[in-house]
Amino acid sequence: MGDSDTTCHTPTMAKALSTSTNVVRLIPIPNYAHRPLLHMEYLLQDPDVHELVLETLDNRERCTTMEDVLSRYSGRIESIQLDVNVFPHLRSSGVMQHAVELPFLTSPAAFATMPPIPHFTVLKDLTITSSHVVSIRSVLELLHICPMLRTLAIHNNRRHSSVFPESLDSVSEPVLPFLEQVTVDGLLTGTVEDLLDKLLPSLRESTKVEAHFYDASFPVLEHGPALQKLCSTIRHGYLSYMSLDTVCGAKPDSKSRYLLSFSDAAARIQLSWHWTEEPGKAPNLAHIGLVSSAFRNMRELSLFLRNVRPSYYDMWTVTQSFRSLKRVELISVQLASDSPASPSNPVEADGRSRSDLRDPKARGTPLGIVTHQRVFTVRPGAGPLLRRVANVPLLFSVEIAQALCKIECGNGYLPPTRTSTAAQARPQLPIPAHLLRWVRYYYDPIWALMVRRATRWEL
């Protein structure tokens, strides 16, 4: 999620931006003829100020407090859009600060001086958009009074990430029996796991979780109880890895942008990593957090690559936990000229869509694009023996790397000769030269005996 400015819906909000005033706007939802439910838009600019400007249902304005708003309307609010993007007095991003508390007076300190706020008895959708790290503790405390919540979305555009850590040990798990969708975008991996672990009792079989992580410096996922629950049932995984520099207009001297996404067949769990590399530097996949015993039951993998050619070690880094694989479908899309796209030869780079992955022919093949597809299947009955004699993820990683090299170079790797080095024999080896003999005389024969390869189509 990129940086975004607050949208001014009314003159009141436009004026508020210049005066650092908190503004609440209540919008009737027309689906209800009698005593309509409400959508709340909350522009929060100063969390330390309790007064706010309320745009009432009759288009009037008055100064009030959040306690008054909630006492009058909490039972009618169906959705909330909380905008915390504008902090006129925000200090430097390198200065440690406390996370922003949600302005609903749900903390114990607030209860000490104020009466408990009424429950949001009909609230279904809660969206928080922030330029500053939001307190997950205050989010969980708010969820305790939202028993009908269906969708929760937290978007952080990461303008300020230097905050003091929070402890959630004393916060109990909210009960959300109707929760359908959880979306977190731009939070630290540890923060996401803490939130999901607290939501574990509310994650039903139909609940979908979508998480987007940014920058390779973030720590990898530890796969706590929530992710264990979500990933342990996956039988067919979808892995998409692409370079986003194929979008027309990319500058040659700009940083290279990459996206790697993983999801299951039903899109119940979607994990995406967005990061950049210096121009000319090979992408590093060490921060991809798919190393977990939760993937022990995954049997099939659909791998979609766009304008990238990962090495065997890159593939093994990502797939090393997929030890029960029996089938891998490889789809590789490359520019025919192997050069960045131009305005006359654009390439779509929508990393959040998996339609290309499920059906590469669904959108057609753009001009100048070459698409290859391979399918590798363990022969019937060979699975148990294969797991005994070989590291299955490493075996598939080596063969995928060789297949990609053959696609690009025409005839795969060549060992170095007496008069040439490995780099001269093949400029881009799929595996290091010192491992060629081991692969040729051990893994290649195992692969030939126990795995079938099929080429479905090439364009």
Side-chain angles (χ1 to χ4, degrees):
M1 176 182 169
D3 294 350
S4 60
D5 295 326
T6 302
T7 301
C8 299
H9 298 280
T10 65
T12 301
M13 289 193 172
K15 181 180 179 181
L17 289 175
S18 62
T19 59
S20 300
T21 304
N22 300 329
V23 179
V24 169
R25 185 185 182 203
L26 299 176
I27 306 172
I29 299 176
N31 294 341
Y32 303 91
H34 304 289
R35 198 171 184 267
L37 298 182
L38 305 173
H39 168 70
M40 173 189 282
E41 292 182 355
Y42 194 165
L43 173 60
L44 179 66
Q45 297 194 88
D46 192 341
D48 297 327
V49 176
H50 297 292
E51 290 75 20
L52 55 85
V53 175
L54 172 65
E55 290 190 23
T56 58
L57 301 180
D58 54 0
N59 294 323
R60 296 182 179 181
E61 302 174 7
R62 65 184 178 90
C63 291
T64 183
T65 62
M66 178 53 68
E67 301 86 63
D68 179 63
V69 173
L70 297 180
S71 65
R72 291 171 178 266
Y73 301 106
S74 64
R76 297 173 57 188
I77 298 176
E78 187 180 56
S79 60
I80 295 178
Q81 170 70 53
L82 176 60
D83 192 335
V84 200
N85 269 313
V86 180
F87 275 84
H89 59 284
L90 187 64
R91 290 177 288 176
S92 170
S93 61
V95 177
M96 293 292 290
Q97 297 188 28
H98 292 283
V100 175
E101 297 279 343
L102 297 188
F104 297 107
L105 294 178
T106 57
S107 65
F111 283 138
T113 57
M114 301 297 300
I117 67 172
H119 284 215
F120 289 99
T121 54
V122 296
L123 182 65
K124 296 181 180 179
D125 305 300
L126 174 61
T127 302
I128 303 170
T129 305
S130 175
S131 61
H132 192 95
V133 178
V134 174
S135 167
I136 297 300
R137 169 184 286 274
S138 66
V139 172
L140 292 170
E141 290 171 346
L142 174 61
L143 296 181
H144 278 89
I145 58 174
C146 305
M148 303 297 292
L149 193 70
R150 294 185 180 179
T151 63
L152 170 65
I154 303 176
H155 303 280
N156 180 14
N157 59 27
R158 306 171 314 285
R159 291 179 187 168
H160 194 289
S161 59
S162 302
V163 297
F164 293 102
E166 286 188 299
S167 175
L168 304 180
D169 295 339
S170 61
V171 182
S172 60
E173 295 86 353
V175 179
L176 306 172
F178 303 101
L179 189 62
E180 297 176 353
Q181 175 81 36
V182 178
T183 303
V184 285
D185 188 349
L187 301 182
L188 292 171
T189 51
T191 303
V192 172
E193 290 211 79
D194 290 342
L195 175 62
L196 293 179
D197 288 345
K198 289 294 182 180
L199 295 178
L200 178 60
S202 302
L203 298 179
R204 303 174 298 148
E205 292 184 0
S206 59
T207 304
K208 295 185 177 181
V209 174
E210 181 178 353
H212 293 265
F213 307 105
Y214 296 82
D215 300 331
S217 60
F218 282 10
V220 298
L221 292 172
E222 296 183 359
H223 288 265
L227 287 179
Q228 287 281 338
K229 177 181 179 180
L230 291 168
C231 298
S232 61
T233 59
I234 297 178
R235 298 294 186 273
H236 190 165
Y238 290 81
L239 187 64
S240 173
Y241 174 33
M242 62 184 67
S243 168
L244 301 184
D245 290 337
T246 51
V247 179
C248 60
K251 298 180 180 180
D253 58 345
S254 62
K255 290 186 176 182
S256 301
R257 297 173 299 143
Y258 296 92
L259 169 63
L260 189 146
S261 299
F262 175 82
S263 67
D264 63 334
R268 186 192 180 197
I269 175 72
Q270 299 183 60
L271 304 174
S272 299
W273 287 265
H274 310 247
W275 77 99
T276 60
E277 300 283 0
E278 294 296 330
K281 182 180 179 181
N284 184 354
L285 305 185
H287 64 287
I288 304 300
L290 293 178
V291 180
S292 171
S293 61
F295 299 106
R296 58 187 176 276
N297 296 319
M298 199 170 75
R299 301 293 190 268
E300 299 183 39
L301 176 66
S302 293
L303 176 62
F304 176 77
L305 305 175
R306 173 173 287 173
N307 268 64
V308 291
R309 205 199 80 183
S311 67
Y312 90 97
Y313 185 77
D314 291 333
M315 289 304 310
W316 180 80
T317 298
V318 176
T319 65
Q320 58 183 290
S321 295
F322 307 163
R323 297 185 175 274
S324 299
L325 280 180
K326 292 185 176 180
R327 184 178 184 275
V328 174
E329 180 181 10
L330 168 64
I331 303 171
S332 178
V333 177
Q334 297 283 342
L335 291 176
S337 60
D338 196 23
S339 61
S342 63
S344 62
N345 184 29
V347 181
E348 296 181 27
D350 182 4
R352 303 195 186 192
S353 172
R354 297 191 300 114
S355 58
D356 284 343
L357 182 58
R358 289 184 174 179
D359 185 3
K361 292 185 177 181
R363 295 185 179 181
T365 303
L367 182 63
I369 302 302
V370 178
T371 302
H372 299 267
Q373 183 169 356
R374 302 285 190 272
V375 179
F376 308 116
T377 307
V378 176
R379 298 182 186 276
L385 179 59
L386 181 62
R387 287 193 291 271
R388 287 177 176 270
V389 299
N391 182 312
V392 175
L394 182 58
L395 176 66
F396 275 106
S397 298
V398 167
E399 295 302 327
I400 288 172
Q402 294 190 84
L404 293 174
C405 188
K406 291 177 182 179
I407 290 173
E408 182 175 328
C409 304
N411 57 355
Y413 68 83
L414 293 177
T417 63
R418 295 181 180 179
T419 59
S420 66
T421 64
Q424 292 171 335
R426 176 63 60 197
Q428 295 181 338
L429 288 171
I431 54 178
H434 66 279
L435 295 179
L436 288 176
R437 183 181 299 274
W438 172 75
V439 170
R440 180 180 290 276
Y441 294 109
Y442 187 72
Y443 264 15
D444 278 358
I446 292 177
W447 180 270
L449 290 172
M450 299 187 181
V451 180
R452 296 181 305 189
R453 185 184 69 178
T455 302
R456 287 190 173 181
W457 52 272
E458 297 184 14
L459 296 174

